[in-house]
Amino acid sequence: MARQDTRLMRATRVGFSALIFLVVLAMFPLTQIPTGPIKILLLALGAFLLTALYFIGGWLADIPIQRPRLFLWILIAFLGLHIVSALASSYPWHSVEEVSRVAVLFLFYLVASQAFSTPGHVRPFLFMVCAATALATACAFAQYKGFDPFPWAYEEKWLYRMWPTTFGNPNYAGHVLVLCIIASLYLAAHWRWCWCILFVPPFLIHLYFAKYRAGAVALAASLVFVLLAVGVRRWVKRPVLGVAATLVGTATLWAGMLAGGVVLGQTGDWTRLRIEHSIVARGNAYASAARMIQERPLLGYGPGNYVIENTGFWTPFQQRQFATRHVLDAHVHNDFLEVGAETGLPGAALYIFLFLIAICNGIYM
């Protein structure tokens, strides 16, 4: 049963919406990366301000604090593991920044679990995310046509052709666009928000020009997952069994595709297939991250320390690549492997568990 909606809850939700609007569009020209540090700063300030607003305001107004029901203990364990892993690492002070980001997200969860209690509370927030991203897409189109209002954003001209806009990086833009496409479709499924379907075409165009191929795969996989869930619902009436059947069906599809890929790799003629350099680089990054996990499976190398510690695990391909480019590999480009390399197998397990709980609850609802 939803809690009584108080003025404090409404004010906090407005604060969340205003913050996400600013974070999506914020850029600052006086930092090395104009779109990264300013967003992190806004998130940190917003987390502490919203936490203070809600909990101090609730104490003054004598509003009871509700215990979060879903992710609380998992997130406490996840944050605690990050702290322990940072302290046990070779570069504890370097890990502080990454630990602080997890702490900021933890504060957001605590406040959101108090202020958002019904789907109706979430829809205006999702609309603000989509609206801010739509403005970013409009800026991206102007950027593509040569009317970039912030020409200082990047000196590397090739990025302009990939529509990074206020996200500063095509991959970051792709991550946000995938989520906003799904959010727009969700909003459009409710008659009061049906016009949000208009967001979808420009988001798809932006995603195409960002060349975020993994996003297209993710959307296709999401569609298959939804169709499977709907099909299971027609045949399995008990929700718990329906959730289990959907997950088993999805795992079976994944296993079948993986087996097909392995068979093709063993028997197919790969000499005619031109594999792009970026895909080869990702595969080598995955291999070196897996070796890091094997070396320290319990606590990993410390949050944020992948960029430092990974150098000792470079594959021959990575050694040649970074010798010519004179850069380090900042990310694995795979969240699960990176969390495992930095906080060990327990951290990766908790991270996967968070996803599974969210997915299962979504299917159940």
Side-chain angles (χ1 to χ4, degrees):
M1 182 180 296
R3 303 191 299 271
Q4 180 182 0
D5 195 18
T6 64
R7 182 183 301 176
L8 179 61
M9 291 171 64
R10 292 192 292 271
T12 305
R13 292 199 297 271
V14 170
F16 264 102
S17 297
L19 176 63
I20 199 65
F21 193 87
L22 287 174
V23 168
V24 170
L25 296 175
M27 293 193 288
F28 186 71
L30 302 182
T31 53
Q32 183 180 10
I33 302 175
T35 55
I38 185 62
K39 296 180 190 295
I40 295 170
L41 177 63
L42 286 173
L43 285 171
L45 291 175
F48 286 104
L49 288 175
L50 287 172
T51 301
L53 168 70
Y54 192 89
F55 289 104
I56 295 177
W59 175 65
L60 293 175
D62 198 25
I63 297 175
I65 303 299
Q66 301 291 325
R67 175 182 168 182
R69 293 180 297 172
L70 192 58
F71 296 120
L72 178 63
W73 296 112
I74 303 173
L75 287 174
I76 288 176
F78 193 62
L79 176 59
L81 186 62
H82 270 69
I83 295 172
V84 172
S85 179
L87 294 176
S89 72
S90 301
Y91 306 95
W93 288 111
H94 187 265
S95 291
V96 169
E97 180 181 1
E98 192 72 21
V99 174
S100 67
R101 294 180 188 181
V102 178
V104 164
L105 296 176
F106 180 73
L107 290 178
F108 277 131
Y109 170 72
L110 287 182
V111 180
S113 67
Q114 305 296 318
F116 297 86
S117 60
T118 69
H121 293 163
V122 177
R123 288 175 199 133
F125 173 76
L126 290 179
F127 167 74
M128 289 300 290
V129 178
C130 293
T133 305
L135 287 176
T137 294
C139 290
F141 181 78
Q143 173 182 290
Y144 179 70
K145 291 296 183 180
F147 302 109
D148 188 1
F150 305 105
W152 40 260
Y154 273 101
E155 295 179 1
E156 301 169 292
K157 300 300 182 183
W158 64 270
L159 272 174
Y160 285 140
R161 297 193 297 272
M162 300 178 77
W163 290 31
T165 188
T166 62
F167 304 106
N169 183 294
N171 284 334
Y172 295 161
H175 279 77
V176 178
L177 289 163
V178 166
L179 294 175
C180 285
I181 289 168
I182 296 173
S184 299
L185 292 171
Y186 166 73
L187 291 172
H190 298 81
W191 68 271
R192 288 183 58 189
W193 300 91
C194 62
W195 55 272
C196 288
I197 195 68
L198 298 175
F199 284 135
V200 176
F203 288 165
L204 287 171
I205 295 171
H206 192 169
L207 187 68
Y208 172 79
F209 278 98
K211 294 181 173 60
Y212 185 59
R213 295 162 298 188
V217 174
L219 288 173
S222 300
L223 178 60
V224 172
F225 185 73
V226 169
L227 293 175
L228 181 62
V230 171
V232 167
R233 183 182 176 187
R234 294 175 62 89
W235 296 98
V236 182
K237 300 303 180 184
R238 292 182 59 184
V240 174
L241 292 179
V243 171
T246 302
L247 292 178
V248 169
T250 303
T252 303
L253 285 175
W254 286 348
M257 294 175 62
L258 180 61
V262 171
V263 171
L264 182 63
Q266 295 294 325
T267 62
D269 181 9
W270 291 92
T271 58
R272 299 179 183 177
L273 181 63
R274 190 182 73 176
I275 302 177
E276 292 188 17
H277 181 274
S278 61
I279 297 177
V280 177
R282 297 289 186 271
N284 280 268
Y286 298 168
S288 63
R291 289 172 56 205
M292 292 177 70
I293 297 172
Q294 288 178 324
E295 188 72 21
R296 289 192 185 178
L298 187 59
L299 289 176
Y301 287 85
N305 289 338
Y306 168 83
V307 65
I308 302 173
E309 301 281 12
N310 180 243
T311 56
F313 296 88
W314 280 351
T315 64
F317 173 87
Q318 289 176 303
Q319 292 175 16
R320 293 192 301 270
Q321 178 189 26
F322 297 126
T324 56
R325 294 177 58 194
H326 301 290
V327 295
L328 296 176
D329 198 6
H331 302 287
V332 186
H333 291 87
N334 180 300
D335 288 349
F336 304 111
L337 285 175
E338 187 156 343
V339 171
E342 294 186 344
T343 61
L345 290 175
L350 286 171
Y351 195 62
I352 294 171
F353 195 38
L354 281 170
F355 277 87
L356 286 176
I357 288 182
I359 290 169
C360 289
N361 274 271
I363 304 171
Y364 188 88
M365 291 173 64

